[in-house]
């Protein structure tokens, strides 16, 4: 490599999310000599660091001659210094892309082929478009059980793993999503760990929903814990409520989730591999998986739910983790709050035993905790339910939650939204249905989860009757634009409520 391949670094200050981008002039001598064109994949080297980046070609007015502009993520991964020299060369051929093309044409992938794809994604050798292609074909043509096992194991192998010496049983729980407000995890973790069982919970941020467990917990305490911090918290409390993306347990999954979020896509095989790879990497031995079923939930029928449950169980067994799937009611939202802060209010309300705490959230959390107790103590679910109820009603779960929060950095004060709007019913009516998807979209348009205080608080659920002028819901947002955008969606096409006038 000669000095002719060196360009001076310009920090463009452009946020390209997690995909490194390099900006070069159309008349750049390197572009001409190497045949680079817009969207070419190139290798960038600065000192000992290197990244593969996507090339964007710009007019000469935007960059001085002899320079290359870098996006923020490219600057970060290279630890680049503006004004210093950068080396540009052809990116290596990514041979695993041929495996993706093989799947496009409907062929089954071997374990080695899947491992090659995941290794290259983890090493940032795929562009966002190429990751999107892999996710789309996996969702569209469905992975079979062998491919899902291979994908799960490959994702585990590419990250770090937690181990818990002296512990024979490590518990976990997960909900596949699609049900707004279903924030049972902090409750289940508090109940189960209060009984002395170990449940180191690492959770994701929202993918297609208005809030993930990590988003909700972040409004209450610190969730960006490293591996050592997680181990210290668990040693002190038997549990944690941390963000999994901060500890590199399954880095390929985090990269895939970022593209899934942009595509609003959550394919069956990727869903199972994502969930189980995180559980296995966290050292879990036993887990319950909540699969809500309803006309506007992620899973629409019992047939589909039973298929998913069977796959979870088979893949879990092949990967050495005991999975119990629970098919639950997903016909309407759980709790009253939708969005990080509003869901945190519901969690605290249940833990504190408030008279107006959402009963459905309480009952769902107790049921999940009962199943974990059933797995742990080899007792019936009914016995587990009595145990869980006693722990929650005695205040022990609240005390345990406070211990976990304190160990993770202490309690935060919940932020308040700058704008809110309460929608009143124009006539006396009964609520007959709530569309989960439209309600989730309403909360996201209001700004959730990006703005933690944004979201929706329901004042009525299915089966409730309201008199004229009573509140139906309150919308929270941090900007007038998001408030008005969400309300326009509600009034024009996105009303999630089906009502009968009384």
């Amino acid at each position: 490599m000669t000095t002719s391949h060196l360009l001076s670094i310009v920090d463009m200050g452009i946020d390209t999310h997690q995909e490194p981008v390099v900006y070069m002039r159309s008349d750049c001598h390197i572009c001409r000599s190497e045949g680079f064109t817009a969207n070419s994949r190139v290798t960038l080297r600065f000192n000992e660091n290197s990244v593969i980046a996507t090339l964007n070609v710009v007019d000469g007015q935007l960059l001085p001659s002899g320079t290359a502009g870098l996006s923020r993520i490219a600057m970060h991964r290279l630890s680049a210094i503006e004004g210093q020299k950068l080396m540009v060369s052809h990116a290596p051929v990514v041979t695993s892309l041929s495996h993706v093309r093989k799947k496009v044409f409907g062929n089954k992938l071997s374990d080695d082929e899947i491992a090659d794809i995941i290794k290259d994604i983890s090493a940032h050798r795929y562009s966002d478009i190429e990751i999107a292609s892999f996710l789309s074909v996996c969702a569209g043509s469905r992975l079979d059980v062998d491919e899902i096992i291979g994908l799960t194991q490959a994702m585990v192998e590419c990250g770090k793993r937690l181990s818990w010496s002296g512990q024979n049983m490590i518990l976990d729980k997960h909900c596949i999503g699609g049900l707004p407000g279903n924030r049972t995890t902090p409750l289940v973790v508090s109940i189960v760990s209060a009984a002395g069982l170990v449940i180191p919970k690492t959770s994701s941020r929202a993918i297609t929903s208005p809030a993930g467990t990590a988003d909700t917990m972040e409004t209450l305490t610190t969730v960006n814990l490293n591996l050592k911090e997680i181990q210290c918290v668990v040693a002190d409390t038997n549990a944690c409520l941390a963000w999994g993306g901060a500890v590199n347990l399954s880095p390929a999954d985090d990269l895939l989730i970022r593209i899934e979020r942009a595509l609003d896509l959550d394919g069956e095989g990727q869903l199972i591999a994502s969930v189980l790879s995180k559980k296995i990497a966290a050292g879990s031995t036993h887990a319950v998986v909540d699969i809500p079923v309803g006309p506007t939930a992620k899973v629409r029928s019992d047939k589909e739910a039973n298929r998913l449950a069977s796959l979870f169980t088979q893949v879990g067994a092949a990967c050495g983790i005991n999975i119990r799937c629970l098919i639950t009611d997903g016909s309407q939202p759980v709790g009253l709050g939708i969005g990080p802060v509003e869901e945190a209010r519901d969690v605290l309300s249940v833990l504190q035993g408030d008279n107006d705490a959402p009963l459905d959230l309480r009952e769902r959390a107790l049921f999940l905790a009962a199943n974990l107790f059933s797995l742990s103590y080899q007792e019936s679910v009914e016995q587990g339910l009595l145990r869980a109820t006693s722990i929650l009603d005695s205040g022990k779960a609240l005390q345990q939650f406070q211990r976990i929060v304190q160990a993770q950095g202490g309690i935060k004060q919940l932020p308040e939204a700058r704008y809110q709007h309460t929608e009143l019913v124009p006539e006396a009516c009964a609520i007959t249905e709530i569309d989960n998807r439209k309600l989730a979209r309403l909360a996201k348009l209001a700004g959730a989860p990006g703005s933690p205080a944004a979201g929706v608080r329901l004042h009525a659920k299915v089966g409730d009757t309201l008199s004229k002028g009573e509140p139906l819901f309150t919308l929270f947002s941090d900007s007038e634009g998001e408030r008005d955008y969400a309300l326009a969606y509600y009034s024009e096409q996105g009303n999630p409520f089906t009502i009968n006038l009384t």
Side-chain angles (χ1 to χ4, degrees):
M1 188 69 64
T2 67
T3 56
S4 63
H5 289 79
L6 297 176
L7 296 171
S8 295
I9 297 168
V10 174
D11 184 353
M12 300 292 284
I14 297 175
D15 185 356
T16 55
H17 205 27
Q18 294 296 308
E19 181 169 22
V21 173
V22 58
Y23 303 87
M24 296 167 64
R25 290 165 56 116
S26 56
D27 62 355
C28 175
H29 64 282
I30 298 178
C31 286
R32 289 181 172 180
S33 64
E34 299 295 338
F36 293 151
T37 58
N39 224 38
S40 291
R41 299 284 281 167
V42 298
T43 297
L44 309 177
R45 291 186 176 86
F46 179 74
N47 293 336
E48 301 301 316
N49 301 320
S50 67
V51 298
I52 297 175
T54 299
L55 172 63
N56 283 1
V57 177
V58 301
D59 292 337
Q61 298 175 350
L62 295 178
L63 283 173
S65 179
T67 66
L70 298 183
S71 66
R72 287 179 181 173
I73 189 64
M75 290 288 294
H76 172 72
R77 289 196 185 151
L78 286 169
S79 298
I81 301 172
E82 189 164 31
Q84 297 294 307
K85 295 294 184 179
L86 175 79
M87 187 173 288
V88 184
S89 61
H90 284 276
V93 175
V94 182
T95 57
S96 68
L97 284 169
S98 65
H99 307 328
V100 177
R101 287 190 286 274
K102 175 181 175 180
K103 190 62 183 175
V104 168
F105 291 102
N107 298 301
K108 181 173 178 174
L109 297 178
S110 69
D111 288 350
D112 288 343
E113 289 168 333
I114 292 171
D116 288 343
I117 292 171
I118 295 303
K119 285 176 185 175
D120 283 338
I121 291 175
S122 297
H124 304 285
R125 298 189 184 107
Y126 275 41
S127 68
D128 285 359
I129 292 173
E130 290 161 348
I131 296 175
S133 175
F134 174 65
L135 287 171
S136 297
V137 70
C138 288
S141 61
R142 277 191 171 177
L143 302 176
D144 69 17
V145 66
D146 293 331
E147 290 173 309
I148 300 172
I149 292 169
L151 180 59
T152 304
Q153 292 173 333
M155 289 166 67
V156 172
E157 289 302 314
C158 282
K160 297 178 181 177
R161 297 185 69 167
L162 286 169
S163 60
W164 308 97
S165 58
Q167 299 292 338
N168 295 324
M169 184 174 291
I170 304 296
L171 303 179
D172 210 329
K173 62 81 59 181
H174 185 83
C175 176
I176 67 163
L179 201 55
N182 190 20
R183 200 53 54 220
T184 55
T185 294
L187 299 168
V188 172
V189 169
S190 300
I191 293 167
V192 170
S193 60
L197 300 174
V198 180
I199 181 165
K201 188 72 181 81
T202 58
S203 300
S204 64
R205 298 188 187 278
I207 301 175
T208 59
S209 68
T213 295
D215 301 306
T216 297
M217 284 305 304
E218 193 168 41
T219 68
L220 293 166
T221 192
T222 303
V223 296
N224 291 4
L225 306 179
N226 60 37
L227 288 176
K228 184 176 180 180
E229 289 169 335
I230 285 177
Q231 289 170 325
C232 287
V233 172
V234 175
D236 287 344
T237 68
N238 290 325
C240 67
L241 286 158
W243 174 45
V247 290
N248 213 33
L249 291 179
S250 183
D253 185 45
D254 297 325
L255 294 170
L256 296 175
I257 283 174
R258 178 174 60 85
I259 305 301
E260 285 181 305
R261 186 180 291 114
L263 296 174
D264 199 16
L265 181 70
D266 204 1
E268 174 188 87
Q270 170 57 23
L271 166 66
I272 295 168
S274 172
V275 171
L276 294 185
S277 68
K278 290 285 179 69
K279 306 303 173 205
I280 295 164
S284 301
T285 61
H286 295 71
V288 296
V289 176
D290 181 7
I291 305 177
V293 179
T296 59
K298 185 177 291 185
V299 177
R300 306 291 183 89
S301 68
D302 286 339
K303 180 180 178 181
E304 186 182 353
N306 285 322
R307 170 187 162 77
L308 196 59
S310 176
L311 286 172
F312 262 115
T313 304
Q314 290 179 70
V315 175
C319 295
I321 181 171
N322 187 321
I323 299 294
R324 177 183 291 186
C325 291
L326 306 172
I327 298 173
T328 59
D329 179 16
S331 60
Q332 66 169 323
V334 176
L336 300 172
I338 316 297
V341 165
E342 293 307 308
E343 293 177 29
R345 295 189 198 282
D346 279 357
V347 168
L348 293 175
S349 181
V350 171
L351 285 169
Q352 293 163 356
D354 296 342
N355 291 332
D356 58 352
L359 185 60
D360 56 350
L361 178 61
R362 170 191 160 92
E363 291 180 343
R364 198 179 195 93
L366 288 171
F367 175 66
L368 295 170
N371 274 274
L372 282 173
F373 284 145
S374 173
L375 283 172
S376 303
Y377 297 120
Q378 296 297 297
E379 63 187 15
S380 69
V381 175
E382 290 75 17
Q383 289 172 310
L385 186 58
L386 290 173
R387 187 189 299 268
T389 303
S390 173
I391 291 171
L392 180 60
D393 288 347
S394 68
K396 291 180 181 177
L398 174 60
Q399 293 171 6
Q400 177 65 1
F401 180 79
Q402 291 169 336
R403 286 182 64 209
I404 296 168
V405 167
Q406 194 60 42
Q408 291 189 195
I411 190 73
K412 296 179 181 178
Q413 184 174 355
L414 292 175
E416 299 285 344
R418 294 176 61 200
Y419 300 93
Q420 66 182 66
H421 167 85
T422 299
E423 186 72 15
L424 308 178
V425 294
E427 302 290 342
C429 62
I431 311 299
T432 58
E433 291 180 26
I434 299 178
D435 187 311
N436 290 310
R437 292 172 182 257
K438 287 183 177 179
L439 182 62
R441 181 161 176 77
L442 183 64
K444 288 194 289 183
L445 290 175
S451 297
V456 173
R457 175 148 293 271
L458 301 173
H459 300 297
K461 301 287 285 289
V462 172
D464 291 345
T465 57
L466 298 173
S467 301
K468 179 180 178 179
E470 284 196 292
L472 180 60
F473 69 89
T474 298
L475 182 84
F476 301 93
S477 62
D478 275 333
S479 74
E480 290 183 277
E482 287 170 320
R483 179 198 63 190
D484 295 345
Y485 191 27
L487 290 175
Y489 167 76
Y490 168 76
S491 61
E492 294 170 10
Q493 56 180 310
N495 187 342
F497 303 94
T498 300
I499 62 174
N500 285 340
L501 299 179
T502 57

